[in-house]
Amino acid sequence: MQCGTLQVPVDYAHPRSGSLSLALVRRPADDRAHRQGTLLLNDGAGGSSIEQLRLAMRIGFPSFAGAMSRDFDLVAVDPRGVGHSTPIRCATPLKPAGVTHFPRSRQQFDALVAHNRAFAADCLRRNGPLVAHTDLTTPHGTSKPYAKASARSS
């Protein structure tokens, strides 16, 4: 597999205000002579697509994927702040002891709200604008080609 990174703006509205790295891995098509294109893989749930592709390869993905792995390059990309891309690091634990994510009382709810506020403040303080531009729902598309790619084989 081949590994690489894309340098993309932290904020597409202000592309010169900073950048981050998105990690990607490409598994070339088995039949290079009849290759039909590239499929981009993203798990969509905020996890590492690269690690999912690596796991799939270990459990025999090409043998059951058929035409997909034979005819297409497969490219897995880790989203902003996830996996091998520029990370978001927070000191406050996501699930601290004594705080339930399924409150059954007003006291538990208030504890969860207080924790969530502390967690968000800590992450924002440690990561700056990256946190404000990382989510799973906002379209970050732009008509200008701002991404710069680099690649390395592994």
Side-chain angles (χ1 to χ4, degrees):
M1 291 206 284
Q2 300 163 320
C3 302
T5 58
L6 287 174
Q7 294 299 309
V8 300
V10 171
D11 181 354
Y12 281 101
H14 303 96
R16 290 180 176 79
S17 65
S19 65
L20 61 97
S21 296
L22 296 181
L24 54 100
V25 169
R26 179 176 76 148
R27 181 201 179 272
D30 293 330
D31 186 352
R32 301 295 296 157
H34 298 99
R35 179 183 164 273
Q36 294 185 30
T38 301
L39 296 176
L40 183 64
L41 308 174
N42 183 336
D43 79 347
S48 174
S49 297
I50 291 172
E51 293 307 318
Q52 288 185 4
L53 179 58
R54 286 180 178 164
L55 175 62
M57 297 307 297
R58 281 194 298 270
I59 64 170
F61 177 74
S63 65
F64 63 80
M68 185 169 74
S69 61
R70 182 188 67 228
D71 299 339
F72 292 91
D73 290 347
L74 303 176
V75 175
V77 179
D78 279 353
R80 295 166 170 249
V82 174
H84 303 277
S85 293
T86 298
I88 292 178
R89 292 200 169 97
C90 306
T92 302
L94 182 60
K95 273 187 96 171
V99 175
T100 178
H101 287 205
F102 304 99
R104 293 183 173 190
S105 69
R106 181 64 187 196
Q107 182 180 5
Q108 288 178 333
F109 177 79
D110 291 344
L112 177 60
V113 169
H115 165 71
N116 288 349
R117 286 183 177 148
F119 182 79
D122 173 60
C123 290
L124 186 58
R125 184 177 64 254
R126 293 174 181 276
N127 300 281
L130 178 57
V131 172
H133 298 283
T134 302
D135 63 57
L136 297 175
T137 59
T138 304
H140 294 288
T142 180
S143 61
K144 297 181 182 178
Y146 292 122
K148 295 179 186 175
S150 67
R152 65 188 187 284
S153 292
S154 66

